[in-house]
Amino acid sequence: MKYRPEIDGLRTIAVLPVVFFHAGIGPFHGGFSGVDIFFVISGYLITSLIIGDLEAGKFSILNFYTRRVRRILPALFFVLALSSLAAFHILYPLELNEFAQSVVATMFFSSNIFFWIKSDYFATAAELKPLLHTWSLGVEEQYYLFFPPLMMVIWKGARKVRLSLSLLGFIAALSLAACLVLSETWSGMTFYLLPFRAWELLIGAMCAIVLARWHIPANGPAAILGAVLIAISVLFGSEHGWPSWQALLPTVGSGLVILFASGSSGIGRLLATGPMVGIGLLSYSLYLWHQPLFAFTRLRLPDEPSVSLKFALIALAILLSWFTWRFVEKPFRTRGPEGFVVGDRKVAVMTGSVAVVFVAAGLLGDATDGWPKRTAPSGLTFAQITSDLAGAQIDNLPCDTDLAFNPALTAPLPECVFAAAGTDPPRRAILLGDSHGSIMTEAVAARLVSAGYETSVATFGGCVPFPGYRTVFRDCHAANTAMYRHVAESGYDVIVLVFRPQPVFFEDHRIIPAGDASPDQPVDVLEMIRSGLMQLIGTGANVILFEPVPDMPRDIGHLARNRFAFDEDHATVEFSIPFSQYLGRTEPVLDFLRTIRAPDLTVLETSRVMCDGIDRACAGIEAGVALYIDDNHLSRFGVHKLMAGVDKDLQDALDASNLAVPPQAGRAQEASVQSPLR
């Protein structure tokens, strides 16, 4: 295979936007599309190598995988080793537990599946996952399992070019069609999994076949068009539903550059310049290094790194990349004086042995729940920091039901129905909500049970408890509709609602109308809440709604834990936000709730409890105790503070319910809504 320096230049165009996107620098809103460019480049290079060997009659599956091992694993092992060392000293038990799991997934080239299950690539928390970027390695290695044997079968006979292009084109079309159809509703699946990414690699493969069969002269306009498509994607690409039709821009653009930007074209000459080729040669190591550096820095610091620090981290990533390329990548890939004189069998034994060590370490980290007995620099154990000082994590949430993924579930789970004694017939209550409701489950259920209510819990993380919408990850409409049907048929005396409306109002690009409505049609959020409340009030139950708790501008649990881990002066840690900042995030829904007039609706003023400091400041940390586990979910201490503060109002609402006619014997109560949207 003839070396093309412009391909290394194209690698630079792929890797730098990814690095700057993850750093949060510059205008690279679609910088994540650099991975799509990488997929096309990989498809092209791998197919070119396979065709060259097939034509020479020397292709071997064993030799192919040996080259892949030499190319990928040494640098990956080096970065993983140093990242694991940093993780052991920086990460808290829950974080280290997930890191250990991701190490095991990476060793089996299934981290794309792991992160599909665990996280949203574009969520803020994704910035804190040191190995998130290894998902793309999983996609490529899974592709390498089926593609070489397929080429061995179809690259035969006089019609091998036509057969290969036809079959690969057909597979690519199926993959692209599945990606486009499902990207709106299941974007997590289409983002991470090979069946919906194969078409990108196959674009590169088909470019390799075309160039192997025909001489394609340089074409300046076509190469420029390819570069423009890439630039549009990198600068203006939207994360919503990616990869969707937008992913055609960087992939088709890369294909045009590969086909037409030879050394004699302007784009080819630009890509073949020294700096472009130099960064391109480091691109694999740079890709491996950038995410751990950014993630560990963000995990260690209380605030988002400054722009100057981000540039320093990028410079460090490039330096580490050069070192890794020069002393790890190159020696293992090169045979002869500049490389390690190690046979393929020894390479297989060495890499296999190292992989076993990583798997064993990862399994041990998982089995020990992240080594909580490790000692932090402050002298405290990480278990003490997490549980006793920084606010106990409420991580056992058995009633956070995955109804959004299990339509067959139409009622609260049996283990989420808490019996009460002393009432005959028993009065019944249900808690509905999103993850904020899950956090409150233990406290709310205990309070209702103590008041004599058999209490059911049905909460769905990521879904506010009102029908009418879905997200790119969950069919919240189906989940909420099923539970509303259950509520209507069950005759509950009390319905408690705990949820966080802020994502609905301020991150509405993730909200999609239910049913057959166009995904681009905006959701009338206030009307959706009004309609849901009317349905619940119409059952005759007493509806008790918690105001949303204040959002914090920082991850409070992380901020407190870092102070306790790395600074002995943790008793004086305080953090709060002005009350006006709370109103800025929640006033639309608070104003709307005030327009509802219904005798059986009680709104508990959480802001009165959580914003009780000087000038009504809303506390995130009080006297060294974190009231949050992140920037919006309460810790166990925060839940205790809130429940103690609203207890009297909650009791008054329950007393009013006790005097009411039971729903199954009475008629639905009247309610009116004074809404400007009606």
Short mmCIF file of all heavy atoms in Angstrom, two decimals, residues 129-187:
data_model
loop_
_atom_site.label_atom_id
_atom_site.label_comp_id
_atom_site.label_asym_id
_atom_site.label_seq_id
_atom_site.Cartn_x
_atom_site.Cartn_y
_atom_site.Cartn_z
N LYS A 129 -15.74 10.90 32.84
CA LYS A 129 -15.45 9.48 32.64
C LYS A 129 -14.13 9.35 31.87
O LYS A 129 -14.09 9.61 30.67
CB LYS A 129 -16.59 8.80 31.91
CG LYS A 129 -17.91 8.86 32.68
CD LYS A 129 -19.01 8.13 31.96
CE LYS A 129 -20.34 8.31 32.68
NZ LYS A 129 -20.34 7.72 34.02
N PRO A 130 -13.06 8.94 32.54
CA PRO A 130 -11.73 8.95 31.90
C PRO A 130 -11.62 8.06 30.67
O PRO A 130 -10.79 8.32 29.79
CB PRO A 130 -10.80 8.47 33.01
CG PRO A 130 -11.52 8.79 34.28
CD PRO A 130 -12.96 8.60 33.96
N LEU A 131 -12.41 6.99 30.58
CA LEU A 131 -12.25 6.05 29.47
C LEU A 131 -13.44 6.08 28.51
O LEU A 131 -13.61 5.17 27.70
CB LEU A 131 -12.06 4.63 30.00
CG LEU A 131 -10.86 4.40 30.90
CD1 LEU A 131 -10.75 2.93 31.29
CD2 LEU A 131 -9.57 4.85 30.22
N LEU A 132 -14.25 7.12 28.58
CA LEU A 132 -15.42 7.21 27.71
C LEU A 132 -15.04 7.10 26.24
O LEU A 132 -15.75 6.48 25.43
CB LEU A 132 -16.17 8.52 27.96
CG LEU A 132 -17.39 8.78 27.08
CD1 LEU A 132 -18.50 7.78 27.40
CD2 LEU A 132 -17.90 10.21 27.27
N HIS A 133 -13.90 7.68 25.86
CA HIS A 133 -13.51 7.73 24.46
C HIS A 133 -13.16 6.37 23.87
O HIS A 133 -13.12 6.21 22.65
CB HIS A 133 -12.33 8.68 24.28
CG HIS A 133 -11.09 8.28 25.03
ND1 HIS A 133 -11.10 7.75 26.31
CD2 HIS A 133 -9.77 8.33 24.67
CE1 HIS A 133 -9.88 7.51 26.70
NE2 HIS A 133 -9.05 7.84 25.72
N THR A 134 -12.97 5.36 24.73
CA THR A 134 -12.62 4.03 24.20
C THR A 134 -13.80 3.35 23.52
O THR A 134 -13.63 2.28 22.94
CB THR A 134 -12.09 3.12 25.32
OG1 THR A 134 -13.10 2.94 26.32
CG2 THR A 134 -10.84 3.71 25.96
N TRP A 135 -14.99 3.97 23.57
CA TRP A 135 -16.14 3.38 22.89
C TRP A 135 -15.85 3.20 21.40
O TRP A 135 -16.29 2.21 20.79
CB TRP A 135 -17.39 4.24 23.08
CG TRP A 135 -17.38 5.52 22.28
CD1 TRP A 135 -16.91 6.72 22.67
CD2 TRP A 135 -17.87 5.69 20.94
NE1 TRP A 135 -17.06 7.65 21.66
CE2 TRP A 135 -17.65 7.04 20.59
CE3 TRP A 135 -18.46 4.84 20.02
CZ2 TRP A 135 -18.02 7.55 19.35
CZ3 TRP A 135 -18.82 5.35 18.77
CH2 TRP A 135 -18.60 6.69 18.46
N SER A 136 -15.12 4.15 20.80
CA SER A 136 -14.86 4.06 19.36
C SER A 136 -13.93 2.90 19.04
O SER A 136 -14.04 2.30 17.95
CB SER A 136 -14.29 5.38 18.84
OG SER A 136 -13.04 5.66 19.43
N LEU A 137 -13.01 2.57 19.96
CA LEU A 137 -12.15 1.41 19.74
C LEU A 137 -13.00 0.14 19.74
O LEU A 137 -12.73 -0.79 18.97
CB LEU A 137 -11.09 1.32 20.84
CG LEU A 137 -10.11 2.48 20.97
CD1 LEU A 137 -9.08 2.19 22.06
CD2 LEU A 137 -9.41 2.75 19.64
N GLY A 138 -14.00 0.10 20.60
CA GLY A 138 -14.90 -1.05 20.61
C GLY A 138 -15.61 -1.23 19.29
O GLY A 138 -15.71 -2.35 18.76
N VAL A 139 -16.10 -0.14 18.73
CA VAL A 139 -16.78 -0.21 17.44
C VAL A 139 -15.84 -0.74 16.36
O VAL A 139 -16.19 -1.65 15.59
CB VAL A 139 -17.32 1.18 17.04
CG1 VAL A 139 -17.82 1.18 15.59
CG2 VAL A 139 -18.45 1.61 17.98
N GLU A 140 -14.63 -0.21 16.30
CA GLU A 140 -13.69 -0.63 15.26
C GLU A 140 -13.27 -2.08 15.41
O GLU A 140 -13.25 -2.83 14.42
CB GLU A 140 -12.45 0.28 15.29
CG GLU A 140 -12.70 1.68 14.77
CD GLU A 140 -11.40 2.40 14.41
OE1 GLU A 140 -10.43 1.71 14.06
OE2 GLU A 140 -11.38 3.64 14.48
N GLU A 141 -12.97 -2.49 16.63
CA GLU A 141 -12.52 -3.87 16.81
C GLU A 141 -13.64 -4.87 16.53
O GLU A 141 -13.39 -5.97 16.03
CB GLU A 141 -11.96 -4.06 18.22
CG GLU A 141 -10.70 -3.24 18.50
CD GLU A 141 -9.65 -3.43 17.43
OE1 GLU A 141 -9.31 -4.58 17.10
OE2 GLU A 141 -9.17 -2.41 16.90
N GLN A 142 -14.86 -4.51 16.85
CA GLN A 142 -15.99 -5.38 16.51
C GLN A 142 -16.16 -5.46 14.99
O GLN A 142 -16.48 -6.53 14.45
CB GLN A 142 -17.26 -4.86 17.18
CG GLN A 142 -17.26 -5.01 18.69
CD GLN A 142 -18.23 -4.08 19.39
OE1 GLN A 142 -19.20 -3.61 18.80
NE2 GLN A 142 -17.97 -3.80 20.66
N TYR A 143 -15.92 -4.37 14.32
CA TYR A 143 -15.96 -4.35 12.85
C TYR A 143 -14.91 -5.29 12.26
O TYR A 143 -15.15 -6.00 11.28
CB TYR A 143 -15.75 -2.92 12.39
CG TYR A 143 -15.63 -2.72 10.90
CD1 TYR A 143 -16.76 -2.67 10.08
CD2 TYR A 143 -14.37 -2.55 10.30
CE1 TYR A 143 -16.64 -2.46 8.71
CE2 TYR A 143 -14.25 -2.34 8.94
CZ TYR A 143 -15.39 -2.30 8.15
OH TYR A 143 -15.27 -2.10 6.79
N TYR A 144 -13.72 -5.29 12.90
CA TYR A 144 -12.64 -6.13 12.39
C TYR A 144 -12.91 -7.62 12.56
O TYR A 144 -12.24 -8.46 11.96
CB TYR A 144 -11.32 -5.79 13.10
CG TYR A 144 -10.83 -4.39 12.86
CD1 TYR A 144 -10.08 -3.72 13.82
CD2 TYR A 144 -11.13 -3.71 11.68
CE1 TYR A 144 -9.62 -2.43 13.61
CE2 TYR A 144 -10.69 -2.42 11.47
CZ TYR A 144 -9.94 -1.78 12.44
OH TYR A 144 -9.50 -0.51 12.23
N LEU A 145 -13.89 -7.98 13.38
CA LEU A 145 -14.21 -9.39 13.55
C LEU A 145 -14.89 -9.97 12.32
O LEU A 145 -14.67 -11.14 11.97
CB LEU A 145 -15.11 -9.58 14.78
CG LEU A 145 -14.47 -9.33 16.15
CD1 LEU A 145 -15.50 -9.52 17.25
CD2 LEU A 145 -13.29 -10.27 16.37
N PHE A 146 -15.75 -9.17 11.67
CA PHE A 146 -16.50 -9.73 10.54
C PHE A 146 -15.97 -9.27 9.18
O PHE A 146 -16.14 -9.98 8.18
CB PHE A 146 -17.99 -9.36 10.66
CG PHE A 146 -18.36 -8.01 10.14
CD1 PHE A 146 -18.65 -7.82 8.79
CD2 PHE A 146 -18.44 -6.91 10.98
CE1 PHE A 146 -19.00 -6.58 8.29
CE2 PHE A 146 -18.78 -5.66 10.49
CZ PHE A 146 -19.07 -5.50 9.14
N PHE A 147 -15.30 -8.11 9.11
CA PHE A 147 -14.96 -7.56 7.80
C PHE A 147 -13.86 -8.35 7.08
O PHE A 147 -14.02 -8.67 5.89
CB PHE A 147 -14.57 -6.09 7.93
CG PHE A 147 -14.31 -5.43 6.60
CD1 PHE A 147 -15.37 -5.11 5.76
CD2 PHE A 147 -13.01 -5.15 6.18
CE1 PHE A 147 -15.14 -4.52 4.53
CE2 PHE A 147 -12.78 -4.57 4.95
CZ PHE A 147 -13.84 -4.25 4.13
N PRO A 148 -12.73 -8.68 7.70
CA PRO A 148 -11.70 -9.44 6.97
C PRO A 148 -12.20 -10.77 6.43
O PRO A 148 -11.94 -11.09 5.24
CB PRO A 148 -10.59 -9.62 8.01
CG PRO A 148 -10.77 -8.48 8.95
CD PRO A 148 -12.25 -8.29 9.05
N PRO A 149 -12.91 -11.59 7.22
CA PRO A 149 -13.43 -12.84 6.63
C PRO A 149 -14.39 -12.59 5.47
O PRO A 149 -14.38 -13.35 4.49
CB PRO A 149 -14.15 -13.51 7.81
CG PRO A 149 -13.52 -12.94 9.03
CD PRO A 149 -13.18 -11.54 8.68
N LEU A 150 -15.19 -11.52 5.58
CA LEU A 150 -16.10 -11.19 4.48
C LEU A 150 -15.32 -10.85 3.21
O LEU A 150 -15.67 -11.32 2.11
CB LEU A 150 -16.99 -10.01 4.89
CG LEU A 150 -17.95 -9.50 3.81
CD1 LEU A 150 -18.96 -10.57 3.42
CD2 LEU A 150 -18.67 -8.23 4.29
N MET A 151 -14.25 -10.07 3.33
CA MET A 151 -13.45 -9.72 2.16
C MET A 151 -12.77 -10.95 1.55
O MET A 151 -12.63 -11.05 0.32
CB MET A 151 -12.39 -8.68 2.53
CG MET A 151 -12.94 -7.28 2.75
SD MET A 151 -13.73 -6.58 1.27
CE MET A 151 -12.32 -6.43 0.17
N MET A 152 -12.37 -11.89 2.39
CA MET A 152 -11.77 -13.12 1.87
C MET A 152 -12.75 -13.88 0.98
O MET A 152 -12.35 -14.51 0.00
CB MET A 152 -11.33 -14.01 3.03
CG MET A 152 -10.14 -13.49 3.82
SD MET A 152 -9.68 -14.62 5.16
CE MET A 152 -9.08 -16.02 4.21
N VAL A 153 -14.03 -13.79 1.32
CA VAL A 153 -15.05 -14.52 0.57
C VAL A 153 -15.40 -13.81 -0.74
O VAL A 153 -15.54 -14.44 -1.80
CB VAL A 153 -16.32 -14.71 1.43
CG1 VAL A 153 -17.45 -15.32 0.61
CG2 VAL A 153 -16.00 -15.59 2.63
N ILE A 154 -15.55 -12.48 -0.69
CA ILE A 154 -16.09 -11.77 -1.86
C ILE A 154 -15.01 -11.26 -2.81
O ILE A 154 -15.32 -10.93 -3.96
CB ILE A 154 -17.00 -10.60 -1.42
CG1 ILE A 154 -16.18 -9.55 -0.64
CG2 ILE A 154 -18.16 -11.11 -0.58
CD1 ILE A 154 -17.00 -8.33 -0.24
N TRP A 155 -13.75 -11.18 -2.35
CA TRP A 155 -12.70 -10.65 -3.22
C TRP A 155 -12.08 -11.80 -4.04
O TRP A 155 -10.95 -12.18 -3.88
CB TRP A 155 -11.63 -9.93 -2.40
CG TRP A 155 -10.71 -9.09 -3.24
CD1 TRP A 155 -9.44 -9.39 -3.64
CD2 TRP A 155 -10.99 -7.79 -3.78
NE1 TRP A 155 -8.91 -8.38 -4.40
CE2 TRP A 155 -9.83 -7.38 -4.50
CE3 TRP A 155 -12.09 -6.94 -3.75
CZ2 TRP A 155 -9.76 -6.15 -5.17
CZ3 TRP A 155 -12.01 -5.72 -4.41
CH2 TRP A 155 -10.86 -5.35 -5.11
N LYS A 156 -12.91 -12.34 -4.91
CA LYS A 156 -12.47 -13.45 -5.75
C LYS A 156 -13.10 -13.32 -7.13
O LYS A 156 -14.21 -12.81 -7.27
CB LYS A 156 -12.88 -14.80 -5.13
CG LYS A 156 -12.18 -15.15 -3.83
CD LYS A 156 -12.68 -16.48 -3.29
CE LYS A 156 -11.97 -16.85 -2.00
NZ LYS A 156 -12.47 -18.15 -1.44
N GLY A 157 -12.38 -13.81 -8.10
CA GLY A 157 -12.94 -13.89 -9.44
C GLY A 157 -12.86 -12.58 -10.20
O GLY A 157 -12.43 -11.54 -9.69
N ALA A 158 -13.31 -12.63 -11.44
CA ALA A 158 -13.22 -11.48 -12.33
C ALA A 158 -14.16 -10.35 -11.92
O ALA A 158 -13.94 -9.19 -12.27
CB ALA A 158 -13.53 -11.92 -13.77
N ARG A 159 -15.22 -10.68 -11.21
CA ARG A 159 -16.22 -9.67 -10.85
C ARG A 159 -16.10 -9.26 -9.38
O ARG A 159 -17.07 -8.79 -8.78
CB ARG A 159 -17.62 -10.22 -11.13
CG ARG A 159 -17.79 -10.69 -12.57
CD ARG A 159 -19.17 -11.27 -12.81
NE ARG A 159 -20.21 -10.26 -12.69
CZ ARG A 159 -21.51 -10.51 -12.82
NH1 ARG A 159 -21.92 -11.77 -13.06
NH2 ARG A 159 -22.39 -9.56 -12.70
N LYS A 160 -14.93 -9.42 -8.83
CA LYS A 160 -14.76 -9.16 -7.40
C LYS A 160 -15.01 -7.70 -7.04
O LYS A 160 -15.56 -7.41 -5.96
CB LYS A 160 -13.37 -9.59 -6.95
CG LYS A 160 -12.23 -8.89 -7.69
CD LYS A 160 -10.89 -9.52 -7.35
CE LYS A 160 -9.76 -8.88 -8.16
NZ LYS A 160 -8.48 -9.58 -7.93
N VAL A 161 -14.61 -6.76 -7.90
CA VAL A 161 -14.81 -5.35 -7.59
C VAL A 161 -16.30 -5.02 -7.57
O VAL A 161 -16.81 -4.40 -6.63
CB VAL A 161 -14.07 -4.46 -8.60
CG1 VAL A 161 -14.43 -3.00 -8.38
CG2 VAL A 161 -12.56 -4.66 -8.48
N ARG A 162 -17.02 -5.44 -8.61
CA ARG A 162 -18.45 -5.16 -8.67
C ARG A 162 -19.19 -5.84 -7.53
O ARG A 162 -20.07 -5.24 -6.90
CB ARG A 162 -19.01 -5.62 -10.01
CG ARG A 162 -20.50 -5.36 -10.18
CD ARG A 162 -21.00 -5.79 -11.54
NE ARG A 162 -20.32 -5.03 -12.59
CZ ARG A 162 -20.56 -5.22 -13.90
NH1 ARG A 162 -21.42 -6.16 -14.29
NH2 ARG A 162 -19.92 -4.51 -14.79
N LEU A 163 -18.83 -7.09 -7.25
CA LEU A 163 -19.48 -7.81 -6.16
C LEU A 163 -19.21 -7.14 -4.82
O LEU A 163 -20.13 -6.96 -4.00
CB LEU A 163 -18.98 -9.26 -6.12
CG LEU A 163 -19.47 -10.13 -4.94
CD1 LEU A 163 -20.99 -10.26 -4.98
CD2 LEU A 163 -18.80 -11.50 -4.96
N SER A 164 -17.97 -6.76 -4.60
CA SER A 164 -17.61 -6.14 -3.32
C SER A 164 -18.33 -4.81 -3.13
O SER A 164 -18.91 -4.55 -2.07
CB SER A 164 -16.10 -5.92 -3.24
OG SER A 164 -15.40 -7.14 -3.33
N LEU A 165 -18.31 -3.97 -4.18
CA LEU A 165 -18.99 -2.68 -4.06
C LEU A 165 -20.48 -2.85 -3.87
O LEU A 165 -21.11 -2.13 -3.08
CB LEU A 165 -18.70 -1.81 -5.29
CG LEU A 165 -17.27 -1.26 -5.42
CD1 LEU A 165 -17.11 -0.52 -6.74
CD2 LEU A 165 -16.97 -0.31 -4.24
N SER A 166 -21.08 -3.79 -4.57
CA SER A 166 -22.53 -4.00 -4.46
C SER A 166 -22.91 -4.50 -3.07
O SER A 166 -23.84 -3.98 -2.44
CB SER A 166 -23.01 -5.01 -5.52
OG SER A 166 -22.74 -4.53 -6.82
N LEU A 167 -22.19 -5.50 -2.58
CA LEU A 167 -22.54 -6.08 -1.28
C LEU A 167 -22.26 -5.10 -0.15
O LEU A 167 -23.10 -4.89 0.74
CB LEU A 167 -21.76 -7.37 -1.06
CG LEU A 167 -22.07 -8.10 0.26
CD1 LEU A 167 -23.55 -8.45 0.36
CD2 LEU A 167 -21.22 -9.36 0.38
N LEU A 168 -21.07 -4.48 -0.18
CA LEU A 168 -20.75 -3.53 0.88
C LEU A 168 -21.66 -2.31 0.82
O LEU A 168 -22.05 -1.77 1.86
CB LEU A 168 -19.28 -3.10 0.79
CG LEU A 168 -18.24 -4.20 0.99
CD1 LEU A 168 -16.83 -3.61 0.96
CD2 LEU A 168 -18.46 -4.94 2.30
N GLY A 169 -22.01 -1.88 -0.38
CA GLY A 169 -22.95 -0.77 -0.52
C GLY A 169 -24.31 -1.11 0.05
O GLY A 169 -24.97 -0.28 0.69
N PHE A 170 -24.74 -2.34 -0.18
CA PHE A 170 -26.04 -2.79 0.35
C PHE A 170 -26.02 -2.82 1.88
O PHE A 170 -26.96 -2.34 2.54
CB PHE A 170 -26.37 -4.17 -0.21
CG PHE A 170 -27.65 -4.76 0.33
CD1 PHE A 170 -28.88 -4.24 -0.04
CD2 PHE A 170 -27.61 -5.82 1.22
CE1 PHE A 170 -30.06 -4.77 0.47
CE2 PHE A 170 -28.77 -6.36 1.72
CZ PHE A 170 -30.01 -5.83 1.34
N ILE A 171 -24.94 -3.36 2.45
CA ILE A 171 -24.83 -3.41 3.91
C ILE A 171 -24.77 -2.00 4.48
O ILE A 171 -25.41 -1.69 5.50
CB ILE A 171 -23.58 -4.22 4.33
CG1 ILE A 171 -23.71 -5.67 3.88
CG2 ILE A 171 -23.38 -4.15 5.84
CD1 ILE A 171 -22.45 -6.49 4.11
N ALA A 172 -24.01 -1.12 3.82
CA ALA A 172 -23.92 0.26 4.28
C ALA A 172 -25.27 0.95 4.23
O ALA A 172 -25.63 1.71 5.14
CB ALA A 172 -22.90 1.03 3.44
N ALA A 173 -26.03 0.69 3.17
CA ALA A 173 -27.36 1.30 3.05
C ALA A 173 -28.28 0.83 4.16
O ALA A 173 -29.04 1.63 4.74
CB ALA A 173 -27.96 0.98 1.68
N LEU A 174 -28.23 -0.46 4.48
CA LEU A 174 -29.06 -0.98 5.58
C LEU A 174 -28.65 -0.33 6.90
O LEU A 174 -29.50 0.06 7.71
CB LEU A 174 -28.91 -2.49 5.67
CG LEU A 174 -29.59 -3.34 4.58
CD1 LEU A 174 -29.32 -4.82 4.84
CD2 LEU A 174 -31.09 -3.08 4.55
N SER A 175 -27.34 -0.25 7.13
CA SER A 175 -26.84 0.34 8.37
C SER A 175 -27.25 1.81 8.48
O SER A 175 -27.72 2.27 9.53
CB SER A 175 -25.32 0.21 8.43
OG SER A 175 -24.78 0.91 9.52
N LEU A 176 -27.10 2.56 7.39
CA LEU A 176 -27.47 3.97 7.38
C LEU A 176 -28.97 4.13 7.59
O LEU A 176 -29.42 5.01 8.35
CB LEU A 176 -27.04 4.62 6.07
CG LEU A 176 -27.48 6.08 5.86
CD1 LEU A 176 -26.91 6.97 6.96
CD2 LEU A 176 -27.03 6.57 4.49
N ALA A 177 -29.78 3.31 6.93
CA ALA A 177 -31.23 3.41 7.07
C ALA A 177 -31.65 3.16 8.52
O ALA A 177 -32.47 3.89 9.08
CB ALA A 177 -31.92 2.42 6.14
N ALA A 178 -31.07 2.13 9.15
CA ALA A 178 -31.39 1.84 10.55
C ALA A 178 -30.97 3.00 11.44
O ALA A 178 -31.68 3.37 12.38
CB ALA A 178 -30.69 0.55 10.98
N CYS A 179 -29.81 3.58 11.13
CA CYS A 179 -29.32 4.72 11.91
C CYS A 179 -30.28 5.90 11.80
O CYS A 179 -30.65 6.52 12.81
CB CYS A 179 -27.93 5.11 11.42
SG CYS A 179 -27.24 6.57 12.20
N LEU A 180 -30.72 6.23 10.59
CA LEU A 180 -31.60 7.38 10.39
C LEU A 180 -32.97 7.16 11.02
O LEU A 180 -33.56 8.08 11.60
CB LEU A 180 -31.76 7.66 8.89
CG LEU A 180 -30.48 8.10 8.16
CD1 LEU A 180 -30.76 8.29 6.67
CD2 LEU A 180 -29.92 9.37 8.76
N VAL A 181 -33.48 5.95 10.91
CA VAL A 181 -34.82 5.66 11.44
C VAL A 181 -34.83 5.71 12.97
O VAL A 181 -35.78 6.22 13.58
CB VAL A 181 -35.31 4.28 10.95
CG1 VAL A 181 -36.56 3.85 11.71
CG2 VAL A 181 -35.59 4.32 9.46
N LEU A 182 -33.77 5.22 13.60
CA LEU A 182 -33.78 5.07 15.05
C LEU A 182 -33.05 6.18 15.80
O LEU A 182 -33.10 6.21 17.03
CB LEU A 182 -33.15 3.72 15.42
CG LEU A 182 -33.89 2.48 14.91
CD1 LEU A 182 -33.10 1.21 15.26
CD2 LEU A 182 -35.29 2.40 15.52
N SER A 183 -32.38 7.07 15.09
CA SER A 183 -31.53 8.05 15.78
C SER A 183 -32.31 9.02 16.65
O SER A 183 -31.80 9.52 17.65
CB SER A 183 -30.66 8.82 14.78
OG SER A 183 -31.47 9.53 13.87
N GLU A 184 -33.57 9.31 16.28
CA GLU A 184 -34.36 10.24 17.07
C GLU A 184 -34.84 9.61 18.37
O GLU A 184 -34.86 10.26 19.42
CB GLU A 184 -35.56 10.74 16.27
CG GLU A 184 -35.21 11.78 15.21
CD GLU A 184 -34.77 13.11 15.82
OE1 GLU A 184 -34.96 13.31 17.03
OE2 GLU A 184 -34.22 13.94 15.09
N THR A 185 -35.25 8.36 18.31
CA THR A 185 -35.84 7.73 19.49
C THR A 185 -34.82 6.93 20.31
O THR A 185 -34.97 6.80 21.51
CB THR A 185 -36.99 6.80 19.09
OG1 THR A 185 -36.54 5.90 18.07
CG2 THR A 185 -38.15 7.60 18.55
N TRP A 186 -33.80 6.40 19.66
CA TRP A 186 -32.81 5.57 20.35
C TRP A 186 -31.40 6.05 20.01
O TRP A 186 -30.55 5.28 19.60
CB TRP A 186 -32.97 4.10 19.97
CG TRP A 186 -34.30 3.54 20.36
CD1 TRP A 186 -35.40 3.39 19.58
CD2 TRP A 186 -34.69 3.10 21.66
NE1 TRP A 186 -36.44 2.86 20.30
CE2 TRP A 186 -36.03 2.66 21.58
CE3 TRP A 186 -34.03 3.00 22.89
CZ2 TRP A 186 -36.72 2.16 22.68
CZ3 TRP A 186 -34.71 2.49 23.98
CH2 TRP A 186 -36.04 2.08 23.87
N SER A 187 -31.16 7.34 20.22
CA SER A 187 -29.88 7.90 19.78
C SER A 187 -28.70 7.31 20.56
O SER A 187 -27.59 7.26 20.04
CB SER A 187 -29.89 9.42 19.92
OG SER A 187 -29.99 9.80 21.27
#
